[in-house]
């Protein structure tokens, strides 16, 4: 099938995906649409829960394997929508609708690319494509659950909106629950150990603290206090204040190292990570994928946003049509030209690397 026909079919699939609700953990119906793509293109596939996946026709276990991945779940629509988020609307070259940019455009572009290469013999890499679930919620039944099921992966392209530039690194994430303690008392009595007042210095510490190691691709670790909760009534000084701290980790640290540093140095009574599994990720700028992309005129950068790269231990490149700044926004959209360009660039990139 020609690239033009694949592109037309990919855009049609994206319109159907937009008009089919697929909140995280509720992707059953969009998984059926993706099954339909494989069926129509006579490609054998497998489905594990709401993850749909396939390998190229001439899969050879003696060769390295490249993963093509993007997700078909969405967040709930932003309350500021003026369009119907579940209506695929084309206007002025833009395709509007929930999930159009994040990450439906990437997913259908990768499906078209995989289909283009599916029947080719003697590829340097095997191809595995996974249309995955639960990316937006970092849930237990997404790409992370597929790594023990699909063939071993040596390198990955993760489809997220990057304007088709090369995100050669991505920050990891650790969310901490922290406690600042004090002495509970009646508000009418003197109290020099008020947990809320104690929090003032703690907040200043978080604001001022700097992690020593920086990253060429990702810059500094970014730490932000994002939630505060304390007290139950006006005349009671609470025993403690609860904080939530969001830490975006560069590739100079593991998540465990960040946790150790904060547990040793922070002035909180207690600080506990919710999870350490969403690590930073990167790919060498000397990898053939990156060198090929640079030769095609694509720029490299480090991404501050999280994706399913976080669950991969292999080298991975984040690359896809669309613009990350539109993700989760009201009246989300992707340009049709971005999808057309995305498929062309994906195909040319893989032609330079795997053919």
């Amino acid at each position: 099938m020609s690239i033009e026909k694949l592109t037309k079919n990919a855009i049609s699939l994206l319109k159907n995906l937009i008009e089919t609700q697929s909140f995280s953990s509720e992707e059953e119906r969009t998984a059926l649409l993706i099954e339909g793509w494989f069926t129509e293109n006579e490609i054998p596939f497998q489905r594990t829960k709401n993850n749909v996946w396939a390998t190229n026709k001439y899969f050879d276990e003696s060769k390295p394997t490249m993963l093509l991945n993007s997700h078909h779940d969405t967040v709930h629509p932003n309350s500021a929508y003026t369009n119907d988020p579940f209506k695929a609307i084309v206007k002025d070259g833009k395709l509007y609708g929930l999930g159009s940019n994040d990450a439906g455009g990437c997913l259908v572009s990768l499906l078209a690319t995989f289909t283009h290469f599916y029947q080719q013999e003697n590829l340097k890499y095997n191809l595995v494509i996974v249309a995955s679930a639960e990316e937006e919620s970092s849930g237990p039944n997404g790409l992370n659950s597929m790594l023990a099921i699909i063939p071993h992966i040596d390198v990955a392209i993760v489809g997220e909106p990057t304007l088709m530039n090369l995100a050669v690194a991505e920050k990891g994430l650790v969310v901490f629950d922290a406690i600042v303690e004090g002495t509970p008392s009646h508000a009418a009595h003197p109290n020099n150990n008020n947990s809320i007042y104690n929090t003032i210095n703690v907040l200043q510490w978080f604001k001022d603290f700097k992690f020593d190691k920086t990253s060429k691709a990702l810059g500094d670790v970014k730490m932000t206090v994002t939630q505060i909760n304390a007290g139950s009534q006006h005349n009671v000084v609470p025993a403690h204040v609860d904080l939530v701290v969001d830490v975006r980790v560069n590739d100079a640290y593991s998540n465990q190292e960040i946790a150790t540093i904060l547990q040793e140095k922070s002035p909180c009574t207690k600080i506990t990570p919710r999870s350490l599994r969403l690590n930073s990720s990167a790919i060498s700028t000397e990898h053939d994928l990156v060198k090929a992309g640079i030769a095609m005129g694509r720029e490299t950068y480090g991404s501050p946003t999280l994706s399913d790269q976080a669950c991969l231990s292999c080298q991975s490149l984040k690359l896809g049509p669309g613009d990350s700044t539109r993700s989760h926004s009201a009246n989300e959209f992707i340009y049709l030209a971005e999808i057309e360009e995305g498929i062309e660039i994906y195909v040319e990139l893989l032609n330079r690397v795997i053919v």
Side-chain angles (χ1 to χ4, degrees):
M1 190 184 298
S2 69
I3 295 296
E4 292 76 15
K5 180 65 172 175
L6 280 170
T7 301
K8 180 180 178 181
N9 291 350
I11 291 171
S12 178
L13 173 60
L14 178 53
K15 291 176 181 178
N16 288 333
L17 291 170
I18 288 168
E19 297 189 348
T20 306
Q21 181 182 307
S22 56
F23 302 145
S24 288
S25 305
E26 301 175 16
E27 310 96 344
E28 295 86 356
R29 293 167 61 206
T30 47
L32 288 173
L33 293 175
I34 295 161
E35 288 184 18
W37 172 279
F38 289 120
T39 300
E40 290 165 11
N41 289 284
E42 299 181 347
I43 298 174
F45 65 89
Q46 297 186 58
R47 176 171 170 176
T48 305
K49 295 189 176 177
N50 292 327
N51 304 282
V52 187
W53 64 283
T55 62
N56 61 302
K57 185 173 182 178
Y58 297 101
F59 189 96
D60 182 345
E61 291 184 357
S62 68
K63 296 178 181 179
T65 297
M66 180 183 297
L67 170 68
L68 306 179
N69 164 251
S70 192
H71 62 95
H72 58 105
D73 64 313
T74 72
V75 295
H76 288 255
N78 187 302
S79 61
Y81 262 88
T82 56
N83 297 334
D84 181 348
F86 300 107
K87 181 70 173 178
I89 300 170
V90 177
K91 184 178 181 181
D92 298 328
K94 302 174 183 178
L95 174 57
Y96 289 89
L98 182 65
S100 56
N101 181 79
D102 184 16
C106 300
L107 175 61
V108 300
S109 298
L110 284 172
L111 285 168
T113 301
F114 174 83
T115 302
H116 173 76
F117 287 100
Y118 170 72
Q119 296 198 54
Q120 292 194 31
E121 298 185 59
N122 303 315
L123 297 177
K124 295 176 184 176
Y125 281 83
N126 299 309
L127 291 178
V128 176
I129 187 163
V130 179
S132 55
E134 297 192 6
E135 189 273 347
E136 295 291 3
S137 61
S138 299
N141 298 313
L143 180 63
N144 53 326
S145 70
M146 297 301 298
L147 300 179
I149 296 171
I150 62 175
H152 172 78
I153 301 302
D154 296 282
V155 67
I157 296 176
V158 176
E160 290 284 340
T162 70
L163 293 171
M164 291 309 291
N165 287 315
L166 312 172
V168 296
E170 174 187 279
K171 282 189 173 180
L173 169 66
V174 189
V175 178
F176 291 88
D177 292 301
I179 296 174
V180 180
E181 291 187 339
T183 301
S185 68
H186 194 292
H189 301 309
N191 186 341
N192 294 323
N193 191 30
N194 184 315
S195 60
I196 293 178
Y197 294 161
N198 292 346
T199 304
I200 295 171
N201 290 334
V202 173
L203 294 175
Q204 191 66 49
W205 184 90
F206 278 112
K207 181 180 179 182
D208 295 341
F209 185 81
K210 302 294 182 184
F211 292 90
D212 294 333
K213 299 178 187 177
T214 191
S215 162
K216 182 178 180 181
L218 294 172
D220 295 332
V221 174
K222 186 175 188 302
M223 181 164 62
T224 309
V225 177
T226 55
Q227 291 177 262
I228 300 176
N229 186 54
S232 58
Q233 59 192 68
H234 76 90
N235 59 352
V236 177
V237 175
H240 59 86
V241 176
D242 297 318
L243 307 179
V244 176
V245 186
D246 179 296
V247 184
R248 305 290 167 149
V249 185
N250 65 22
D251 54 344
Y253 293 93
S254 69
N255 286 356
Q256 181 59 65
E257 288 174 317
I258 294 294
T260 299
I261 290 169
L262 291 183
Q263 287 170 341
E264 290 177 352
K265 295 187 176 183
S266 83
C268 298
T269 308
K270 185 178 182 181
I271 184 165
T272 307
R274 294 181 181 178
S275 170
L276 297 174
R277 66 183 179 86
L278 301 176
N279 285 287
S280 62
S281 53
I283 187 170
S284 169
T285 55
E286 294 302 309
H287 194 283
D288 286 347
L289 272 175
V290 179
K291 290 196 291 186
I294 292 172
M296 291 165 58
R298 314 317 298 177
E299 298 179 359
T300 63
Y301 73 103
S303 173
T305 57
L306 197 69
S307 75
D308 269 338
Q309 277 186 290
C311 67
L312 297 173
S313 57
C314 65
Q315 294 195 84
S316 56
L317 174 68
K318 186 157 69 176
L319 173 68
D323 187 337
S324 179
T325 61
R326 300 180 208 138
S327 300
H328 305 180
S329 64
N331 299 334
E332 180 184 348
F333 70 89
I334 189 168
Y335 287 98
L336 295 176
E338 290 176 325
I339 299 173
E340 295 164 0
E341 179 193 47
I343 294 171
E344 291 174 358
I345 291 174
Y346 277 143
V347 169
E348 182 181 349
L349 181 69
L350 293 192
N351 271 327
R352 291 172 179 244
V353 174
I354 72 172
V355 175

